[in-house]
């Protein structure tokens, strides 16, 4: 069903498509455009319904077709439940059905081929280097949970399958970076063997494998690191190694608390890693947030008592992607933890923000007035609190510089029964109430258009703003519960999904093409009064204009400019370097900042002696500071740490086990040098034996001759391209496995 609505003088076009049932999240497929005058990529959108039907749009959601009808004409009947785009080729998609039917398209749905697989296969994983390689899992009835999965592989796009491993808990392709050191076919798995859990890797589909960690209970890969968790008595230990290193050199992650029961990776794309760890065996929704050094091995505490959902494993921690070093998180009030019951924790959630990558956290500043212009009367300990991922997401867009939208309330704590909608255009420094009640929202045109609707209730109204929330216009729609609002960054149309009163699926396309008459101009001269752009300088909590030791500014669209902002990126300009201030330093290993700053104090001073018996207690002469990772300040305040030997019994310092600062090529050369060194040692041992037995003289000459020949060969190899097998010369690699709570 297709319905076109023209909405009044605003000339915003809304089209409606009715699906058979509720719709899952949208899947986008990209195919290169052969028309050089058009866009580089053509986009096709797929949607799956709750009842297993496939819908497709080739015009940004304006019109939709039921692809299930096309497949039925091909003799294909199934209940389809998953669509995946190939990470190896953007134009290839796979669709999987409950009854063992798989669909493959090499042109974003213009043509289809199909294959079959055993109906008990699930959780398909596509290879990032070869579009026909995939893994699948099935239940192993004779195996012991949670190691009750069998792993299968296909190298021909699902046409044929081969069993490769039993008694597995998890497995994945180990190819997140395009490195010759890692074979395309390498698989990492956590599985049970001889009643022992271990994390291993294989380059030949588990005809053979190497051990990463003998007590590994899970793992998690990022582009730059491999994490592994191992079981230690009743708790766990976390280990890490660079993704391009030999896993035999994995090291223990250094954490000031010994007892660790769950892990959640929060951010791994910055210069440092944010990691959430639960230290409480009975209350895993209470976690601490740690931030790493530049290597990702040594972690210092950044924030106590972070909120974590027991249902999803999600933590209330949000990276504001458009700005460097800005994060928003929810915590439980530390003082209340000492006097309240665990069941009352949800009443004492607070929101904090950092502008320096977790060095110092602050409360959110409350708006001075509400949406009606009335004074808010929020001062003292009163502040703004926002819902986090455990309830709903804080919305931000990487290309909408400084813009954030969220739901929350003013008060001492977060109150889920009194939620309104708030907006910030300066990265969370200043907030405005833009609407009463709880809403769902999205940005388009790089923040130049905002669309929102009431959340979790029937509505007949969409709201939109083209001036970053200063004014709002209303669009009348069919009565529905809006479940998602989606827009691509540079797009000026929105795709909205939801349910009508009869639980039928609805897709709306809201097109703002005719909202403005022109595209913004003047980006190269924002100081010109006629320019549609302005300079904006981000600041820290105290309105200081130095961030990470530098002053810089963005060129972005003016709030009241009536035009489309179709620039590919906002212009970032470096201004000057800054002297170091206290904001450029964070607490070092074993130390902690209280909320809103203050000196770094030993973590042990915040807890009773019997609360964390094994807590790290640094030497008394430690200053407790280190420079924030990625900070470029020079001169000024110098709080560089002074290395002090650890006391007997304290955790071993990560510096004693850190990896050498060498490149991949240098590492390969070291492997060859080690082999040469071993040959020289063998020769030395033989020469010593000549002093005792004459008869061995002749034997030594013969051995020396062969060693000489071997050394010449080794020397010649140094000029050759290193072998692709990075683990050449290692019989066994000790590796680790991380327990990321989103998936483990």
């Amino acid at each position: 069903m297709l319905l076109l609505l023209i909405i009044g003088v605003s000339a915003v076009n809304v089209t409606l498509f009715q699906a058979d049932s509720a719709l899952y999240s949208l899947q986008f497929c990209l195919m290169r455009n052969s028309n050089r005058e058009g866009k580089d990529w053509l986009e096709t959108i797929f949607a799956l319904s709750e009842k297993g039907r496939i819908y497709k749009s080739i015009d940004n959601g304006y019109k939709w077709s039921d692809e299930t009808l096309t497949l039925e004409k091909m003799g294909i009947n199934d209940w389809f439940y998953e669509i995946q785009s190939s990470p190896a080729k953007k134009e290839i998609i796979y669709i999987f059905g409950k009854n063992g039917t798989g669909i493959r398209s090499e042109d974003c749905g213009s043509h289809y081929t199909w294959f079959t697989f055993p109906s008990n296969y699930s959780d398909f994983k596509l290879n990032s280097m070869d579009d026909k390689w995939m893994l699948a899992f099935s239940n192993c009835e004779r195996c012991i949970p949670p190691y009750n999965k069998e792993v299968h592989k296909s190298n021909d796009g699902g046409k044929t399958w081969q069993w490769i491993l039993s008694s597995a808990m998890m497995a994945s392709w180990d190819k997140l970076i395009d490195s010759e050191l890692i074979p395309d076919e390498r698989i990492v798995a956590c599985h049970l063997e001889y009643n022992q859990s271990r994390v291993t890797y294989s380059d030949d589909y588990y005809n053979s494998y190497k051990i990463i960690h003998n007590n590994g209970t899970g793992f998690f890969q990022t582009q730059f690191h491999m994490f592994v968790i191992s079981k230690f008595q009743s708790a766990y230990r976390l280990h890490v190694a660079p993704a391009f290193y030999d896993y035999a050199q994995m090291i223990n992650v250094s954490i000031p608390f010994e007892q660790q029961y769950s892990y959640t990776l929060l951010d791994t794309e910055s210069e440092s890693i944010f990691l959430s760890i639960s230290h409480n065996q009975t209350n895993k929704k209470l976690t601490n947030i740690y931030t790493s050094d530049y290597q990702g091995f040594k972690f210092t505490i950044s924030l106590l008592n972070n909120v974590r959902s027991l249902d999803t494993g999600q933590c209330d921690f949000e990276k504001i992607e458009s700005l460097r070093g800005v994060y928003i998180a929810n915590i439980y009030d530390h003082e209340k933890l000492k006097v309240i019951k665990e069941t009352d924790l949800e009443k004492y959630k607070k929101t904090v923000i950092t502008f320096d990558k977790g060095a110092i956290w602050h409360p959110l500043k409350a708006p001075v007035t509400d949406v009606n212009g009335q004074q808010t009367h929020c001062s003292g300990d009163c502040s703004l609190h926002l819902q986090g991922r455990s309830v709903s997401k804080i919305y931000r867009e990487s290309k909408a510089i400084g813009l954030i939208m969220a739901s929350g309330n003013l008060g001492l704590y977060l109150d889920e029964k009194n939620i309104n909608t708030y907006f910030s255009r300066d990265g969370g420094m200043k907030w405005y109430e833009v609407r009463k009640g709880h809403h769902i929202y999205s940005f388009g045109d790089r923040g130049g258009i905002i669309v929102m609707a009431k959340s979790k209730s029937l509505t007949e109204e969409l709201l939109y703003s083209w001036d970053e929330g200063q004014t709002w216009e209303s669009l009348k729609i069919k009565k529905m519960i809006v479940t998602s609002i989606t827009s691509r960054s540079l797009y000026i149309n929105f795709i909205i999904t939801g349910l009508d009163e009869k639980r039928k699926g609805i897709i709306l396309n809201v097109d703002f093409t005719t909202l403005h008459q022109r595209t913004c101009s003047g980006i190269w001269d924002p100081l010109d009064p006629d320019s549609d752009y302005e300079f904006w300088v981000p600041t820290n909590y105290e309105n200081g204009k130095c961030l990470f030791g530098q002053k810089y500014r963005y060129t972005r669209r003016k709030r009241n400019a009536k035009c489309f902002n179709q620039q590919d990126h906002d212009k970032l300009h470096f201004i000057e370097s800054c002297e170091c201030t206290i904001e450029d330093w964070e607490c070092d290993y074993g130390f902690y900042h209280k909320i809103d700053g203050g000196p770094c104090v030993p973590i042990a001073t915040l807890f009773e002696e019997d609360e964390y018996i094994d807590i790290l207690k640094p030497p008394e002469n430690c200053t407790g500071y280190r420079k924030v990772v990625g900070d470029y300040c020079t001169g000024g305040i110098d709080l560089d740490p002074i290395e002090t030997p650890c006391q007997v019994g304290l955790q071993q310092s990560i510096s004693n086990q850190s990896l050498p600062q060498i490149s991949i090529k240098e590492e390969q050369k070291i492997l060859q040098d080690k082999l040469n060194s071993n040959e020289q040692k063998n020769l030395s041992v033989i020469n010593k034996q000549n002093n005792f037995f004459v008869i061995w003289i002749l034997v030594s000459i013969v051995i020396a001759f062969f060693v000489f020949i071997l050394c010449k060969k080794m020397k010649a190899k140094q000029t050759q391209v290193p072998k692709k097998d990075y683990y050449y010369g290692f019989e066994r690699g000790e590796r680790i496995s991380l327990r990321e709570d989103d998936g483990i």
Side-chain angles (χ1 to χ4, degrees), residues 386-387 393-395 404-408 420-423 431 441:
L386 304 176
Q387 291 180 328
K393 294 183 179 180
I394 295 171
Y395 189 81
I404 312 172
M405 208 159 189
S407 300
N420 296 314
T421 304
Y422 297 88
F423 176 78
W431 292 85
Y441 23 73

Side-chain angles (χ1 to χ4, degrees), residues 156-168:
D156 55 10
K159 295 178 181 178
T160 60
W161 291 89
Q162 177 184 346
W163 170 89
I164 60 173
L165 186 65
S166 285
S167 299

Side-chain angles (χ1 to χ4, degrees), residues 428-676:
M429 276 290 297
K430 190 174 182 180
W431 292 85
Y432 306 89
E433 185 182 273
V434 294
R435 208 74 180 177
K436 296 292 185 182
H438 192 190
H439 291 77
I440 183 172
Y441 23 73
S442 182
F443 299 156
D445 191 34
R446 304 173 60 79
I449 303 173
I450 304 174
V451 173
M452 71 177 177
K454 285 185 179 180
S455 176
K456 301 177 182 179
S457 61
L458 285 168
T459 182
E460 295 180 284
E461 180 184 52
L462 284 180
L463 298 168
Y464 72 89
S465 173
W466 57 266
D467 55 9
E468 298 179 5
Q470 282 188 318
T471 61
W472 295 88
E473 301 289 339
S474 176
L475 295 174
K476 186 175 178 58
I477 59 173
K478 180 178 180 179
K479 184 179 287 189
M480 60 186 291
I481 298 175
V482 176
T483 55
S484 73
I485 303 177
T486 304
S487 179
R488 310 292 260 180
S489 179
L490 289 175
Y491 284 27
I492 51 180
N493 72 301
F494 292 72
I495 299 171
I496 298 170
T497 63
L499 293 170
D500 65 12
E501 296 175 283
K502 297 180 180 180
R503 301 288 299 176
K504 295 289 186 180
I506 292 177
I507 305 177
L508 297 180
N509 178 277
V510 184
D511 186 1
F512 291 92
T513 302
T514 57
L515 178 65
H516 300 312
Q517 302 301 314
R518 63 186 181 87
T519 300
C520 297
S521 62
I523 192 171
W524 299 110
D525 190 8
L527 297 178
D528 187 331
D530 294 328
S531 174
D532 294 310
Y533 293 88
E534 65 181 1
F535 285 128
W536 175 64
V537 179
T539 61
N540 61 20
Y541 195 75
E542 303 298 334
N543 290 318
K545 296 182 179 180
C546 284
L547 298 174
F548 301 98
Q550 294 178 328
K551 289 183 181 178
Y552 56 93
R553 65 186 181 187
Y554 289 95
T555 300
R556 66 178 188 179
R557 170 186 169 273
K558 291 177 181 176
R559 192 173 193 176
N560 295 314
K562 290 187 175 182
C563 54
F564 293 118
N565 182 21
Q566 292 294 288
Q567 294 292 327
D568 287 340
H569 62 279
D570 288 299
K571 308 301 181 184
L572 177 62
H573 311 268
F574 169 76
I575 301 176
E576 62 182 357
S577 297
C578 305
E579 283 192 345
C580 296
T581 65
I582 191 65
E583 284 81 15
D584 298 297
W585 302 88
E586 64 183 355
C587 294
D588 204 348
Y589 182 68
F591 290 80
Y592 171 69
H593 259 312
K594 293 184 178 180
I595 297 297
D596 235 352
C600 290
V601 296
I603 300 173
T605 63
L606 302 177
F607 301 95
E608 300 292 337
E609 283 290 329
D610 58 349
E611 188 172 358
Y612 288 99
I613 298 175
D614 56 1
I615 192 171
L616 173 69
K617 297 177 181 178
E620 293 182 0
N621 61 338
C622 284
T623 58
Y625 290 89
R626 71 182 186 189
K627 186 176 282 189
V628 174
V629 176
D631 195 296
Y632 299 100
C633 70
T634 57
I637 295 178
D638 185 2
L639 298 175
D640 266 332
I642 301 173
E643 291 190 11
T644 302
C646 286
Q647 300 172 14
V648 177
L650 290 180
Q651 267 190 330
Q652 182 183 4
S653 171
I654 202 90
S655 62
N656 294 332
Q657 54 176 336
S658 61
L659 298 178
Q661 302 304 298
I662 57 176
S663 67
I664 295 173
K665 291 184 178 179
E666 289 172 328
E667 172 68 9
Q668 291 175 326
K669 185 176 183 300
I670 287 174
L671 296 182
Q672 296 292 346
D673 291 343
K674 284 181 179 180
L675 293 176
N676 289 343

Side-chain angles (χ1 to χ4, degrees), residues 402-420:
L403 306 189
I404 312 172
M405 208 159 189
S407 300
N409 65 276
L410 305 184
L412 296 178
Y413 301 103
L414 180 62
D415 182 1
E416 301 288 355
K417 297 180 181 179
N418 185 28
I419 298 297
N420 296 314

Side-chain angles (χ1 to χ4, degrees), residues 33-185:
N33 187 5
S34 58
N35 181 6
R36 294 185 179 181
E37 297 180 358
K39 297 179 180 179
D40 292 337
W41 296 91
L42 297 177
E43 190 172 68
T44 300
I45 309 172
F46 289 88
L48 275 176
S49 78
E50 199 173 53
K51 294 184 178 180
R53 300 193 75 83
I54 306 166
Y55 298 97
K56 184 184 77 172
S57 173
I58 59 174
D59 54 7
N60 296 325
Y62 185 78
K63 296 179 181 178
W64 293 83
S65 61
D66 187 345
E67 292 298 280
T68 318
L69 298 175
T70 302
L71 296 176
E72 288 173 350
K73 292 178 181 179
M74 297 170 58
I76 303 171
N77 292 280
D78 207 331
W79 184 303
F80 296 100
Y81 67 92
E82 183 179 17
I83 300 178
Q84 289 192 40
S85 296
S86 170
K89 291 184 179 180
K90 296 179 180 180
E91 63 271 21
I92 294 179
I93 63 161
Y94 283 91
I95 308 173
F96 301 99
K98 289 184 177 181
N99 298 318
T101 303
I103 306 296
R104 172 184 162 97
S105 174
E106 297 183 359
D107 49 16
C108 291
S110 295
H111 304 87
Y112 298 104
T113 59
W114 62 284
F115 58 90
T116 60
F117 57 87
S119 59
N120 62 335
Y121 283 15
S122 63
D123 194 18
F124 296 88
K125 296 183 183 298
L126 306 182
N127 188 282
S128 62
M129 304 304 294
D130 193 304
D131 60 89
K132 292 188 177 181
W133 294 2
M134 67 179 79
L135 299 178
F137 298 81
S138 63
N139 288 328
C140 175
E141 296 181 358
R142 68 182 187 280
C143 301
I144 303 172
Y147 304 93
N148 57 346
K149 293 181 180 179
E150 293 190 328
V151 187
H152 314 266
K153 65 96 176 177
S154 174
N155 293 124
D156 55 10
K159 295 178 181 178
T160 60
W161 291 89
Q162 177 184 346
W163 170 89
I164 60 173
L165 186 65
S166 285
S167 299
M169 184 177 75
M170 58 187 301
S172 67
W173 299 104
D174 185 13
K175 192 65 177 181
L176 297 184
I177 56 175
D178 187 10
S179 171
E180 287 297 316
L181 303 177
I182 302 176
D184 296 350
E185 56 272 270

